[in-house]
Amino acid sequence: MAEHQQQSGDAFNREKGPSTSKILAVITLLPVGGVLLFLAGLTLTGSLIGLAVTTPLFMIFSPVLVPAALVIALAVAGFLTSGAFGITALSSLSWIINYMRKVRGGMPEKMEHAKRRMHEAGGAKEAGAVIRLGPELEITGYGCEDHFLELDTVTHAWECLKDILLGDWTAGILCSFGMPVIKGSERYNCQVLCLNRKIIMIRPKMWLANDGNYRELRWFTAWKQKEQLVDFQLPYEISEALTQKTVPFGYGYIQFLDTAVAAEVCEELFTPIPPHTELALNGVEVFMNASGSHHQLRKLDVRLRAFIGATHTRGGVYMYSNHQGCDGGRLYYDGCSCVVVNGDVVAQGSQFSLKDVEVVVAHIDLDAVASLRGSISSFQEQASFLLRLNITLLRKK
Ligand SMILES: NC(=O)CC[C@H](N)C(=O)O
């Protein structure tokens, strides 16, 4: 397995350089831009000199209307040509500068949105939030479709995650980011859980959305080894930057000193046996559902019933984060990110909005979960006889 992991590191390195077509574009545009800029200058100077020489002559020999009109026409033509040359030259040079900047930055602008979102969610952190959940496949966007099959989509997602982790965004706040991860030869739709500039667990989606408008099995494989957390070797550049070599990968939850938290990824909630049922019996109190769910009449009602059903008989905090807007495909993702506690919706975001980022914050009393569970005898009976799940222990409050 270590060998396979190294492969994902290799892929990470391989995809760095610019493509041949881009290099060709730069090589052709650079002289063209320069020549055009030179011609622009030349025609501008010519027009100005012509105007300067002929104007006094016509002042003396006026009124000679036809040659005057001729001079004006020539001057206008001169300015227009110079302007056209100038604009073409400047736009080709600015394309080159932009391209150079992108090559050096190494990441498509699209993935910068994840960082922007983190920045705007900073307010939630200042308001005291200790868990931050973004939507499914947040870093790349949910609707990449066949671009998920390109190695550099995954590579750039790691680069973006690295930038986020090197900043302050994850200091003191558990953050869940969605991105594709290649493990060995398989590509998984994952939630990457991070805290204090480290990756503490990668949770691959186990039940993929593959009906109606969804085609996740075309791009991802479902994680099937439910029984164990395995070691995932981070791509070389990530492990160097984070000084962290491996991370637990698989199905499980994170045990803090005062509570337990787990991811349940979108479609998993809607399966006949959703993971939250056994996670709850294992003591997980907070569920983080990262979702990419499109708008369809009455679907919000289906979702809300699912969150309420998940938590009102067995207790729990259900955090739900959905994309909002359109991203590449033909669907509208209708937000409505929310927080549900013991069957009550305590916070909910908008369904239709043009905002770049919307942060939904809720202040939760975790004792309400413990006390509901403590009051249901059958919950305790089932919990005491259940097989224990995989845990990542964190000695942090
Ligand atoms: N991304 C998903 O897993 C979609 C799940 C579900 N079918 C929905 O529409 O919400």
Side-chain angles (χ1 to χ4, degrees):
M1 190 187 60
E3 217 170 284
H4 286 176
Q5 294 317 314
Q6 196 53 49
Q7 270 179 10
S8 62
D10 290 349
F12 185 82
N13 296 330
R14 207 166 43 229
E15 291 298 308
K16 280 227 89 169
S19 69
T20 335
S21 60
K22 292 272 170 62
I23 292 170
L24 271 178
V26 170
I27 289 172
T28 13
L29 280 180
L30 202 60
V32 168
V35 169
L36 285 178
L37 203 57
F38 176 71
L39 285 178
L42 212 63
T43 41
L44 185 65
T45 329
S47 314
L48 285 174
I49 293 173
L51 212 55
V53 171
T54 48
T55 309
L57 289 178
F58 284 108
M59 295 290 262
I60 295 163
F61 296 112
S62 79
V64 189
L65 285 177
V66 175
L70 216 65
V71 168
I72 291 168
L74 280 175
V76 170
F79 284 128
L80 286 181
T81 326
S82 148
F85 278 148
I87 288 170
T88 323
L90 288 179
S91 55
S92 61
L93 288 176
S94 90
W95 184 90
I96 292 168
I97 290 165
N98 252 340
Y99 175 68
M100 291 301 188
R101 204 180 304 145
K102 261 191 228 153
V103 166
R104 219 171 312 128
M107 199 187 317
E109 205 176 303
K110 189 168 190 275
M111 297 200 200
E112 294 283 335
H113 289 312
K115 277 197 277 174
R116 205 173 311 153
R117 271 198 295 271
M118 283 307 295
H119 200 66
E120 299 210 15
K125 192 176 153 189
E126 272 148 36
V130 287
I131 303 180
R132 179 266 178 210
L133 170 71
E136 186 174 11
L137 292 164
E138 171 178 23
I139 290 184
T140 53
Y142 183 77
C144 288
E145 302 195 348
D146 280 6
H147 293 294
F148 283 126
L149 305 178
E150 295 167 19
L151 282 179
D152 65 351
T153 303
V154 182
T155 305
H156 291 314
W158 277 116
E159 283 168 351
C160 181
L161 184 74
K162 181 180 86 179
D163 279 6
I164 290 172
L165 286 166
L166 292 178
D168 282 340
W169 290 298
T170 62
I173 181 166
L174 174 68
C175 294
S176 185
F177 303 105
M179 61 176 258
V181 172
I182 295 175
K183 185 180 176 304
S185 52
E186 315 95 71
R187 191 171 33 253
Y188 294 100
N189 171 350
C190 295
Q191 284 307 115
V192 182
L193 309 182
C194 306
L195 177 65
N196 294 332
R197 302 179 185 89
K198 292 270 181 278
I199 303 175
I200 53 176
M201 180 177 177
I202 299 182
R203 163 65 156 84
K205 191 169 180 177
M206 299 188 297
W207 309 108
L208 302 183
N210 212 53
D211 47 30
N213 282 306
Y214 295 92
R215 296 285 177 276
E216 288 185 7
L217 278 168
R218 182 178 166 101
W219 309 296
F220 301 104
T221 183
W223 179 250
K224 300 175 188 77
Q225 299 169 43
K226 261 189 75 177
E227 319 66 41
Q228 49 170 347
L229 279 169
V230 298
D231 269 350
F232 176 82
Q233 196 176 325
L234 293 167
Y236 178 72
E237 294 192 14
I238 307 298
S239 66
E240 284 290 291
L242 306 183
T243 56
Q244 174 184 3
K245 285 202 163 63
T246 60
V247 58
F249 184 103
Y251 173 51
Y253 62 91
I254 299 169
Q255 181 69 59
F256 291 88
L257 285 183
D258 53 355
T259 190
V261 180
E264 173 163 78
V265 194
C266 201
E267 176 70 13
E268 292 177 353
L269 164 67
F270 303 98
T271 55
I273 311 172
H276 69 254
T277 53
E278 60 179 347
L279 287 166
L281 292 171
N282 271 269
V284 172
E285 293 180 321
V286 182
F287 307 97
M288 303 181 292
N289 189 314
S291 166
S293 186
H294 70 280
H295 176 68
Q296 195 174 307
L297 279 184
R298 309 299 301 154
K299 208 213 273 185
L300 175 58
D301 188 55
V302 173
R303 280 185 220 139
L304 284 171
R305 274 190 278 133
F307 310 143
I308 292 167
T311 55
H312 101 281
T313 47
R314 54 182 77 81
V317 176
Y318 210 92
M319 298 170 69
Y320 175 77
S321 174
N322 190 16
H323 287 278
Q324 188 171 60
C326 304
D327 84 346
R330 290 172 301 149
L331 305 175
Y332 173 79
Y333 297 89
D334 65 345
C336 292
S337 299
C338 63
V339 180
V340 177
V341 181
N342 292 350
D344 293 324
V345 181
V346 297
Q348 186 172 18
S350 66
Q351 188 168 25
F352 303 102
S353 146
L354 292 174
K355 280 189 229 152
D356 266 357
V357 183
E358 188 178 73
V359 183
V360 178
V361 190
H363 190 246
I364 304 301
D365 178 8
L366 282 174
D367 284 354
V369 176
S371 99
L372 176 64
R373 288 181 178 176
S375 70
I376 307 170
S377 171
S378 55
F379 181 95
Q380 297 184 48
E381 289 305 311
Q382 289 196 345
S384 76
F385 119 102
L386 197 89
L387 269 179
R388 295 292 135 184
L389 288 171
N390 317 302
I391 315 179
T392 295
L393 277 178
L394 277 191
R395 298 263 153 249
K396 274 224 163 261
K397 217 172 145 65

